[in-house]
């Protein structure tokens, strides 16, 4: 292991970890003393091909001889609670060592970019690019974050205490951690999720984003006040707006979340104004700053008093104060005021744009109900798609929630009316996008456009319609759908009104679930190329919004390399992507990590434009090779997915069925209402998460090895080696898949190999794991996984060892549920709880759920 990582992280973790043994909690010393023995037993047992059940029983026989079943279960729960807190400690130690183990001024940083701006031509090219460039990260409520807000606060404080080696404070925080619950007693509401994620807005992004941009602005020798590009980094927000499959998101919740976002940013402004008051004690300026503080406070708490209705009103008072400061007080502390004005320009009175999202089938159902009320449904159903589009656009009605009976239809109409209210409250930027999931026709887009048109009673629609193409088939058809829309007079006029800009969302989650890792990634690349060509042909600026999620199985992994790898045939004026769950806390949990990761994401698109040569552009031959690999991989994955025991395996042998009991998200874990599990009803998060819990990670690699093996047999090894050498896109695909492989451990489930029902399926997965592992090493010419990314590799190694007992305990409980025919109701309940409780630590330790 690298000495720097060993000293900065592992050694410090071991030192602080020893503090747990001195905490005044019941049985803490016994738990902490026995846990290393369980780790040793687990490692040795897996080497001997023992099952988790055998490992746990052997552990009990050796160290708890004569103990009752109740005592054994109690100890296992103590282990889980102990390890959960070890994971938090390790996260905090690693975050505290961030500056020591990462080069924050190296490649991908703002300073590295500025150092490359070595002539006037490059500088002008950069400024031109910045006039039409933006990075937008969208925080989602997808349930992969297992830390409640109170624990996140402790983590943040613990990281600061560790950074300064404050042992007294570390001990106090570990005490607090020991007494703080890690699980929600009740399922969170969508508003609870919004409040939880607002912590990152208020505690991290409010500071990180301005600092990144101020470094750029000053490096380019611009005045902060005169800087013209105030939307280079934007925030998006899905909790409270994303109602796809979530019946708990209502128009009232959407409005309530928008109000919370407004109050959150105003609280940030209020704190800054109180600090400014300490400095601006000068005649004229003091009065205006005090007035701004009072009116912001009224805007939050006393709306009936004199207050600000918009960010523009606040900026007007601040500009007046600035003029007085310059004219009468020699511009003293001008930089402080300019930085605050810059923040207000960045975040407005909305902080993050709230997106509304719903499934296309729900819009169709709402229209059917509205048209049926007009007595025209039978005639409408007989129309062609083009005729339906023209019919919807010609309707002269004003839909109201009371016009429909279906609750989802009521919600759709209500949510569109709510968009107007939010725009009046927070400004248009507060809520200006409507995302259509499961979009597979042009009619799906027009259904939403027509609803907004009739409900808002205007042809000048202040909302961007964002189709989401996700499955392999939808991605292949996306070009034809968008060409139809670009050619349609009404939709084209809508785009003209919106500045000839079209945002298209492409989602990895269902694409991976549908077609496997390699097919999904390559299909998205191809769709982006086709949509870019199409949009340029029609004079439309297309922006791609990537539903990338966190783990590689959901399109995640190394984001900045992914964006830096795109060729010139893919539009790159904006980078937009979703960030979810513990990926938010791991990549953006502190100001330092957020500045590092967001800065690299920001510069990826700029360096791509400024310095990229033809290296990243794939040749036709290389594209053909990738298509061959994707197609082979696709059929390999389909063969697995269509195996008769595939869905039963997920249902019976994995923790999938327990996801709904974790109380981590407000949304149901599957789309269908019936008891029987159907593949098409599976949501991507519990689907990917269940494979992660099993340490099998199928969505992040399956089919990749088979594709390489087949092309090798066809004599194309040299071509693949050259592709790896030449294409950052291909290298990034391999590295991200390596993350999934690194977090896999098929020895844990080796006991299934001889299972009469699931043995064949287990062997298929394990063989593909070994095949992919070996062939990715061969193509990358590496001796070990993630050889080029040692920090990530070392982090995974330590984390996997810390969490190994949880995996063994969870598998033990699953085995007992499936094999013990003599278990009592009480024992069954205990095993269920063990599985659920183990899920938290396993996911949190993985950080990106790979």
């Amino acid at each position: 292991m690298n000495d720097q990582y060993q000293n900065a992280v592992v050694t410090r973790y071991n030192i602080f970890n020893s503090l747990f043994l001195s905490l005044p909690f019941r049985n803490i010393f016994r738990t902490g003393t026995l846990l290393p023995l369980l780790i040793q037993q687990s490692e040795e047992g897996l080497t001997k091909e023992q099952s988790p059940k055998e490992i746990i029983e052997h552990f009990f026989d050796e160290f708890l001889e004569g103990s009752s079943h109740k005592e054994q279960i109690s100890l296992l729960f103590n282990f889980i609670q102990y390890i959960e807190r070890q994971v938090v400690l390790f996260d905090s130690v690693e975050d505290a060592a961030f500056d020591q183990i990462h080069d924050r001024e190296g490649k991908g940083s703002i300073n590295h970019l500025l150092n490359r701006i070595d002539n006037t031509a490059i500088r002008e090219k950069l400024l031109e690019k910045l006039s039409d460039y933006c990075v937008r990260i969208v925080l989602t409520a997808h349930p992969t974050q297992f830390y409640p807000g109170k624990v996140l606060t402790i983590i943040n404080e613990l990281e600061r205490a560790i950074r300064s080696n404050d042992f007294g404070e570390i001990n106090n925080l570990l005490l607090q951690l020991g007494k703080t619950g890690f699980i929600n007693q009740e399922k969170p509401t969508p508003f609870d999720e919004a409040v939880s994620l607002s912590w990152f807005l208020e505690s991290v992004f409010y500071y990180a984003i301005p600092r990144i941009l101020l470094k750029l602005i000053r490096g380019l020798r611009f005045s902060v006040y005169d800087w013209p590009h105030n939307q280079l980094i934007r925030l998006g927000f899905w909790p409270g707006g994303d109602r796809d499959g979530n019946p708990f998101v209502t128009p009232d919740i959407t409005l309530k979340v928008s109000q919370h976002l407004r109050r959150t940013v105003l609280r940030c402004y209020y704190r800054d104004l109180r600090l400014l008051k300490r400095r601006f004690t000068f005649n004229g300026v003091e009065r205006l700053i005090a007035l701004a503080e009072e009116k912001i406070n009224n805007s939050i708490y006393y709306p009936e008093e004199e207050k600000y209705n918009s960010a523009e009103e606040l900026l007007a008072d601040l500009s007046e104060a600035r003029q007085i400061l310059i004219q009468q007080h020699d511009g003293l502390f001008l930089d402080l005021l300019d930085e605050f004005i810059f923040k207000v320009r960045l975040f407005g009175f909305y902080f993050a744009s709230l997106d509304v999202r719903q499934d296309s089938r729900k819009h169709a159902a709402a229209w059917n109900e509205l048209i049926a009320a007009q007595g025209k449904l039978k005639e409408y159903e007989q129309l062609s798609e083009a005729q339906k589009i023209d019919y919807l656009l010609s309707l002269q009605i004003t839909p109201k929630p009371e016009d429909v009976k279906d609750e989802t239809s009521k919600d759709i109409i209500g949510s569109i009316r709510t968009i107007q209210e939010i725009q009046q409250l927070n400004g248009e930027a507060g809520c200006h996008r409507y995302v259509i999931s499961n979009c597979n026709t042009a009619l799906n887009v027009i259904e939403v456009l027509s609803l907004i048109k009739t409900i808002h009673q205007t042809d000048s629609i202040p909302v961007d319609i964002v189709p989401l193409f996700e499955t392999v088939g939808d991605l292949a058809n996306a070009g034809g759908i968008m060409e139809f829309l670009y050619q349609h007079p009404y939709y084209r006029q809508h785009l003209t009104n919106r500045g000839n800009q079209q945002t298209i969302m492409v989602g990895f989650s269902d694409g991976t679930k549908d077609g496997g890792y390699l097919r999904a990634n390559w299909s998205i690349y191809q769709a982006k190329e086709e949509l870019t060509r199409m949009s340029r042909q029609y004079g439309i600026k297309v922006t791609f919004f990537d539903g990338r999620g966190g783990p590689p199985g959901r399109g995640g992994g190394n984001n900045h390399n992914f964006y830096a790898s795109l060729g010139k045939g893919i539009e790159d004026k904006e980078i937009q992507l979703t960030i979810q769950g513990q990926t938010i806390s791991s990549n953006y949990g502190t100001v330092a990590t957020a500045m590092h990761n967001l800065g690299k994401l920001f510069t990826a698109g700029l360096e791509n434009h400024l310095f990229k040569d033809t290296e990243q552009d794939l040749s036709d031959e290389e594209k053909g090779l990738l298509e061959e690999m994707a197609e082979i991989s696709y059929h390999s994955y389909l063969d697995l997915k269509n195996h008769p025991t595939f869905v039963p395996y997920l249902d019976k042998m994995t923790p999938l069925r327990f996801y709904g009991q974790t109380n981590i998200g407000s949304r149901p874990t599957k789309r269908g209402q019936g008891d029987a599990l159907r593949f098409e009803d599976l949501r991507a998060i519990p689907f990917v998460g269940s494979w992660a819990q099993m340490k099998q990670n199928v969505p992040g690699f399956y089919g990749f090895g088979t594709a390489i093996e087949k092309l090798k047999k066809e004599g194309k090894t040299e071509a693949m080696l050259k592709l790896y050498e030449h294409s950052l896109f291909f290298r990034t695909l391999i590295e991200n898949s390596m993350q999934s492989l690194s977090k896999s451990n098929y020895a844990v489930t080796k006991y299934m190999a001889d299972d009469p029902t699931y043995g064949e399926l287990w062997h298929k997965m394990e063989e593909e794991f070994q095949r992919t592992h070996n062939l990715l090493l061969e193509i990358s010419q590496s001796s070990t996984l993630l050889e080029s990314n040692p920090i990530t590799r070392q982090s995974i190694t330590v984390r996997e060892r810390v969490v190994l007992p949880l995996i063994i305990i969870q598998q033990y409980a699953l085995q007992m549920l499936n094999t013990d025919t003599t278990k009592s109701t009480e024992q069954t309940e205990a095993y269920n709880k063990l599985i659920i409780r183990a899920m938290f630590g396993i996911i949190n330790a993985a950080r990106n759920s790979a």
Side-chain angles (χ1 to χ4, degrees), residues 84 146 148 150 180-186 662-663 837 840:
E84 282 177 334
F146 282 55
K150 56 194 175 185
T180 302
F182 272 48
I183 61 174
N184 299 313
Q185 296 304 314
E186 296 179 354
T662 55
N663 291 335
R837 287 304 312 279
F840 292 76

Side-chain angles (χ1 to χ4, degrees), residues 68-318:
S68 68
H69 183 269
K70 188 173 182 179
E71 289 172 327
Q72 293 172 357
I73 294 296
S74 177
L75 179 62
L76 294 180
F77 275 114
N78 288 340
F79 284 152
I80 291 172
Q81 292 173 327
Y82 197 99
I83 296 167
E84 282 177 334
R85 286 152 180 82
Q86 286 183 312
V87 171
V88 169
L89 177 62
F90 189 82
D91 284 347
S92 300
V93 171
E94 199 170 62
D95 288 343
F98 193 84
D99 289 347
Q100 296 170 260
I101 59 178
H102 293 87
D103 184 2
R104 291 184 59 189
E105 303 302 329
K107 186 176 180 181
S109 68
I110 296 292
N111 281 345
H112 182 264
L113 172 70
L114 291 169
N115 288 336
R116 299 183 71 186
I117 310 298
D118 55 5
N119 61 64
T120 302
I122 292 291
R123 186 176 188 274
E124 291 303 313
K125 189 176 181 182
L126 172 61
L127 292 174
E128 180 184 2
K129 174 70 173 176
L130 292 175
S131 67
D132 194 22
Y133 180 71
C134 172
V135 168
R136 180 176 185 145
I137 61 171
V138 180
L139 309 185
T140 79
H142 290 153
T144 59
Q145 174 54 267
F146 282 55
Y147 291 140
K150 56 194 175 185
V151 176
L152 287 173
T153 301
I154 296 172
I155 292 173
N156 197 261
E157 293 175 354
L158 188 57
E159 180 264 332
R160 287 199 296 268
I162 291 171
R163 190 184 290 267
S164 57
N165 288 317
D166 186 343
F167 278 79
E169 181 65 5
I170 293 167
N171 198 61
N172 286 335
L173 289 167
L174 292 180
L175 279 167
Q176 183 183 357
L177 200 63
K179 289 290 187 181
T180 302
F182 272 48
I183 61 174
N184 299 313
Q185 296 304 314
E186 296 179 354
K187 215 172 182 59
T189 68
F191 184 71
D192 293 333
E193 292 171 331
V195 171
S196 178
L197 282 186
S198 293
W199 184 90
F200 294 97
L201 298 179
E202 188 173 8
S203 304
V204 178
F205 290 110
Y206 183 75
Y207 301 100
I209 292 174
R211 289 182 193 176
I212 292 169
L213 295 178
L214 288 171
K215 189 178 289 190
L216 175 72
I217 293 165
R218 288 171 177 150
L220 291 172
R221 300 183 298 282
F222 265 83
S223 156
V224 174
Y225 184 78
D226 295 324
W227 179 250
H229 313 304
N230 296 312
Q231 295 297 310
L232 286 176
I233 301 179
R234 300 186 65 182
L235 295 169
F237 207 74
W238 273 17
D242 178 13
R243 57 231 319 122
D244 177 14
N246 192 339
F248 306 110
V249 178
T250 65
D252 287 343
I253 288 290
T254 303
L255 184 60
K256 189 178 176 183
V257 169
S258 72
Q259 293 167 339
H260 177 74
L261 290 171
R262 177 187 173 96
R263 283 194 301 270
T264 302
V265 75
L266 292 182
R267 283 200 305 267
C268 293
Y269 294 160
Y270 181 76
R271 287 197 294 266
D272 277 1
L273 283 164
R274 288 181 64 83
L275 293 173
L276 289 176
K277 271 182 66 177
R278 299 180 186 177
R279 294 290 174 266
F280 294 120
T281 52
F282 323 135
N283 185 43
V285 180
E286 182 179 28
R287 175 186 62 82
L288 285 166
I289 298 299
L291 177 65
E293 179 197 19
E294 180 182 357
K295 290 171 75 172
I296 284 290
N297 188 58
N298 289 344
S299 299
I300 302 169
Y301 301 110
Y302 308 104
E304 69 281 356
E305 303 291 337
E306 183 182 13
K307 65 181 188 302
Y308 290 119
N309 293 305
S310 67
E312 288 68 32
E313 292 179 6
L314 170 60
L315 288 169
D317 282 350
L318 295 175

Side-chain angles (χ1 to χ4, degrees), residues 629-649:
M629 295 177 71
E631 197 61 13
I632 296 166
S633 173
Y634 178 50
H635 288 289
S636 173
Y637 176 75
L638 286 184
D639 180 58
L640 177 74
K641 189 175 77 171
N642 294 331
H643 193 280
T645 64
F646 184 79
V647 172
Y649 175 85

